[in-house]
Amino acid sequence: MIYTIFGFYLLTRLAPYLYSSVPLGYDPGLYLYLFNSYSSVGLFEYTKLANWLVEVYPPLLPFVVRIINIFVSPENILVPLALLAAASLYAATYYLVNHLYGKKTALVTLAILSLSIIQFKFYWWYYVKNIFAVALTLLLIALMNKKSKWAYAVAPAIVLLHQPTAIVAMMVLLLRKHDKQSLLTIAASALAFVAYYVPNWDVTIAPYLPGFMRSLTPASYGTESGTFYSLAESFWYMLPYLPLSIAALLNSKVKKDKSVMVLMLTSLVFAGGVFLSRRFVPILDISLIILAGAMLATFNKKIIVGYLILLAIFFAVKLPEQAKPLINMDEYNEIQLLSTTESDASILVADNEYTPWIYGYSKRRAIAPGFGENDVYWNASEWEDFWSSNNRAREMELLNKLPKPIYIYLGDKQRMILFRPDGECFTKFSWHTYKYICK
């Protein structure tokens, strides 16, 4: 049964690729750019990359992928990496729930996990480091309960994978009974933090501190940030199993592991409005799924099957609208065609909707609004002038500040701007791309 459920779980993650080769989510292009950039420096020179890469991506996953890239190109690892992340979460959920409640509850929980829109969207966004970190957090809880020394390696790995998930994992450790194992695990996590984050404080921690501190003030708490469903929308998608989760909390016969409760309460508080709050929603969801599985497993087989059929119908109705790639195949192919431009060409990304795709797949310097190491030619007001001035002299003045050769990409989802690549200064390279040729 576990393999049947996994087959369905994996099929839902593979299904979007059966009709399109465009990677899901917003992040694949950024990961591809990261992996390719890392290949240009030494194995232990990760912090020599552009500051925004070091700021956004902790080193563990890039380091592992860098080694794998000896055998497999970064382009060919993107989809398998996402599937591996999804599989790791599936396996970790089974391992923890089987340990806490037994095989029956583990199978029921996996079925709910496979039918969770929140967890599918977690995968869809290509949050691979986040997914791996959540999987390791579930594994850590089981290892701590089993008094396994593997916890000394897993906890630091979470710290070096994804900062928000690491905060939740550390709360789980700190609120456990402080025996020798928990103290050593906390110490190992602290060593990982000191070894990497402290020497690189300016680019790994400092950029997040102002937003985090503001979010803790009463006036700012409740203001959601981060890319994912809002908390209200998330609860709508959790609604099919949320009553079961609440019933589990109220039912004295359902075992409630302290660490799972800390996981749920911490992620709920953080999802309520701290900095990057929406990134905590999938952690809240997985903890509620575990509780829902524990409650559902107490019912007889007919009720379990009937409930899962209803949940499957809900999932089937909602999935098609959630599984679409952000760009179409033609745009994806056209962006890859940019790699045939001059080797020193720059691509002006007029809308940040296309930033990760140009960064990852054009193999050229990307100049994007408010993003990355190449956004140094225009300030915010100049970007606004380019979009909205409708003044050809001003537009050319701005374009002349950019390195040549320069191409402009205007995709199907381009924001409504007044700039138009018309006239003798522009030649059409492809359907959405124009080269600026005036000096």
Side-chain angles (χ1 to χ4, degrees):
M1 181 60 71
I2 186 173
Y3 298 110
T4 301
I5 298 172
F6 180 67
F8 173 81
Y9 175 80
L10 193 62
L11 180 61
T12 61
R13 273 66 183 166
L14 275 172
Y17 293 108
L18 299 179
Y19 58 84
S20 173
S21 61
V22 180
L24 297 178
Y26 187 79
D27 286 9
L30 299 181
Y31 273 99
L32 181 56
Y33 183 75
L34 166 68
F35 298 151
N36 282 324
S37 297
Y38 194 8
S39 66
S40 66
V41 301
L43 185 62
F44 299 102
E45 297 179 326
Y46 184 70
T47 55
K48 290 186 177 181
L49 298 180
N51 282 350
W52 73 269
L53 288 173
V54 179
E55 175 185 329
V56 173
Y57 298 100
L60 182 58
L61 182 61
F63 182 83
V64 172
V65 172
R66 171 68 186 276
I67 295 172
I68 296 173
N69 287 159
I70 297 172
F71 310 100
V72 183
S73 71
E75 290 82 1
N76 290 330
I77 202 172
L78 287 177
V79 174
L81 184 65
L83 294 172
L84 180 61
S88 73
L89 183 59
Y90 182 94
T93 302
Y94 177 81
Y95 186 77
L96 174 60
V97 179
N98 184 48
H99 166 70
L100 294 177
Y101 301 105
K103 186 175 181 178
K104 178 186 176 183
T105 302
L107 292 174
V108 171
T109 303
L110 290 178
I112 299 174
L113 170 68
S114 300
L115 296 169
S116 166
I117 291 293
I118 298 289
Q119 293 304 316
F120 176 82
K121 204 64 174 182
F122 194 26
Y123 164 85
W124 181 94
W125 274 104
Y126 204 88
Y127 290 157
V128 290
K129 58 187 171 73
N130 196 345
I131 298 171
F132 278 124
V134 172
L136 287 182
T137 300
L138 300 182
L139 177 62
L140 177 64
I141 293 173
L143 294 174
M144 295 298 291
N145 287 350
K146 290 185 171 186
K147 305 295 182 183
S148 171
K149 292 182 180 179
W150 280 105
Y152 306 152
V154 170
I158 299 169
V159 172
L160 297 174
L161 260 175
H162 188 246
Q163 301 97 320
T165 306
I167 295 172
V168 177
M170 291 309 105
M171 291 297 294
V172 169
L173 289 175
L174 291 170
L175 294 177
R176 289 181 65 89
K177 180 180 179 181
H178 286 175
D179 54 13
K180 179 181 178 181
Q181 185 208 26
S182 65
L183 291 174
L184 288 174
T185 306
I186 292 169
S189 304
L191 284 174
F193 180 84
V194 170
Y196 177 71
Y197 290 98
V198 172
N200 304 294
W201 182 271
D202 289 346
V203 290
T204 58
I205 300 297
Y208 297 104
L209 283 179
F212 178 71
M213 297 306 295
R214 282 195 302 272
S215 71
L216 298 180
T217 61
S220 298
Y221 184 80
T223 302
E224 297 185 31
S225 61
T227 49
F228 200 68
Y229 293 130
S230 69
L231 189 58
E233 191 175 12
S234 297
F235 275 122
W236 164 249
Y237 287 121
M238 296 174 191
L239 193 59
Y241 46 87
L242 185 60
L244 286 171
S245 306
I246 295 173
L249 292 171
L250 299 176
N251 191 327
S252 60
K253 295 182 180 180
V254 175
K255 177 184 176 183
K256 290 173 276 291
D257 179 78
K258 181 179 179 181
S259 293
V260 173
M261 296 301 294
V262 171
L263 189 71
M264 181 196 70
L265 293 173
T266 304
S267 57
L268 176 60
V269 171
F270 288 169
V274 300
F275 186 62
L276 297 178
S277 60
R278 294 184 180 185
R279 290 301 188 94
F280 295 97
V281 168
I283 309 175
L284 172 63
D285 182 67
I286 195 70
S287 61
L288 293 175
I289 287 172
I290 291 171
L291 289 170
M295 187 68 215
L296 184 60
T298 64
F299 294 102
N300 62 47
K301 185 177 180 180
K302 289 184 178 179
I303 293 177
I304 294 173
V305 172
Y307 167 81
L308 291 177
I309 289 174
L310 291 175
L311 185 57
I313 293 172
F314 178 83
F315 182 78
V317 170
K318 295 295 180 181
L319 182 63
E321 67 190 47
Q322 306 296 329
K324 298 175 182 176
L326 276 177
I327 62 174
N328 61 45
M329 180 71 75
D330 288 343
E331 288 180 302
Y332 181 64
N333 291 334
E334 184 181 14
I335 288 170
Q336 292 178 307
L337 188 64
L338 292 171
S339 64
T340 65
T341 60
E342 299 91 331
S343 60
D344 60 343
S346 298
I347 313 298
L348 180 67
V349 190
D351 192 310
N352 52 18
E353 184 80 22
Y354 294 95
T355 295
W357 307 100
I358 302 296
Y359 257 94
Y361 296 97
S362 72
K363 298 183 180 179
R364 295 296 181 263
R365 182 192 301 112
I367 302 174
F371 187 91
E373 70 271 34
N374 300 315
D375 184 28
V376 295
Y377 304 100
W378 298 348
N379 58 35
S381 64
E382 288 174 322
W383 275 105
E384 192 63 39
D385 285 347
F386 177 74
W387 291 323
S388 307
S389 71
N390 198 24
N391 182 318
R392 181 45 52 97
R394 177 59 171 157
E395 291 166 354
M396 293 181 64
E397 177 188 348
L398 292 170
L399 289 171
N400 286 331
K401 289 185 176 183
L402 304 180
K404 306 296 189 300
I406 182 72
Y407 293 79
I408 304 167
Y409 186 83
L410 302 167
D412 287 341
K413 296 184 178 181
Q414 180 68 43
R415 71 183 72 190
M416 296 298 292
I417 63 176
L418 298 179
F419 168 78
R420 293 292 181 270
D422 302 325
E424 60 183 15
C425 285
F426 301 93
T427 60
K428 196 169 188 176
F429 172 77
S430 61
W431 187 250
H432 297 98
T433 310
Y434 298 82
K435 183 177 182 180
Y436 178 68
I437 58 176
C438 288
K439 297 182 179 180

